[in-house]
């Protein structure tokens, strides 16, 4: 049961990548777009670590997590969630920009 959430995140990221490469939106167009995913991920990981250090964020008793921690109270799934969040935001921006240009 603990791998379902991580697997769901990975499948979702793979789905985004399939959409990206099918429609040539971001990374399929230029590898430079990877930075537009990595920069927000690093920002939000730093944000999470600051929140954990100040006692605001904590992992709690979540049965859907693998239990693998990247840092104190920072589960592995958080990294993939942030990648999913950043990638989907980038693809939405690119898709809406492309739609706007067609008008």
């Amino acid at each position: 049961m603990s791998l379902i959430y991580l697997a769901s995140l990975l499948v979702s990221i793979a789905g985004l990548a399939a959409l990206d490469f099918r429609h040539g939106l971001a990374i399929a167009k230029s590898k430079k777009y990877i930075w537009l995913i990595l920069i927000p991920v690093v920002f939000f990981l730093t944000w999470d670590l600051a929140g954990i250090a100040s006692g605001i964020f904590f992992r709690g008793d979540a049965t859907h997590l693998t239990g693998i921690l990247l840092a104190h109270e920072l589960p592995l799934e958080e990294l993939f969630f942030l990648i999913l969040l950043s990638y989907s935001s980038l693809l939405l921006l690119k898709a809406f920009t492309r739609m706007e240009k067609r008008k």
Side-chain angles (χ1 to χ4, degrees):
M1 187 70 172
S2 65
L3 291 175
I4 291 175
Y5 180 52
L6 180 59
S8 299
L9 290 170
L10 293 173
V11 166
S12 298
I13 292 168
L16 290 175
L19 284 172
D20 182 6
F21 282 86
R22 167 74 171 93
H23 298 285
L25 293 170
I27 296 173
K29 196 174 193 178
S30 171
K31 302 298 180 219
K32 293 178 184 178
Y33 282 105
I34 290 175
W35 289 105
L36 293 178
I37 296 169
L38 293 179
I39 291 170
V41 168
V42 169
F43 172 80
F44 284 116
L45 281 176
T46 304
W47 178 288
D48 284 348
L49 290 171
I52 290 167
S54 63
I56 297 170
F57 301 154
F58 55 92
R59 184 170 46 110
D61 293 327
T63 57
H64 61 281
L65 300 177
T66 61
I68 300 170
L69 299 178
L70 299 175
H72 178 69
E73 297 291 328
L74 183 65
L76 171 67
E77 291 82 2
E78 182 70 8
L79 172 65
F80 291 103
F81 171 74
L82 293 174
I83 291 169
L84 177 69
L85 182 70
S86 299
Y87 199 10
S88 61
S89 298
L90 173 62
L91 291 184
L92 281 171
L93 176 65
K94 295 298 290 178
F96 284 127
T97 302
R98 182 178 285 181
M99 286 173 48
E100 191 64 29
K101 286 180 181 178
R102 288 184 182 173
K103 286 184 177 183

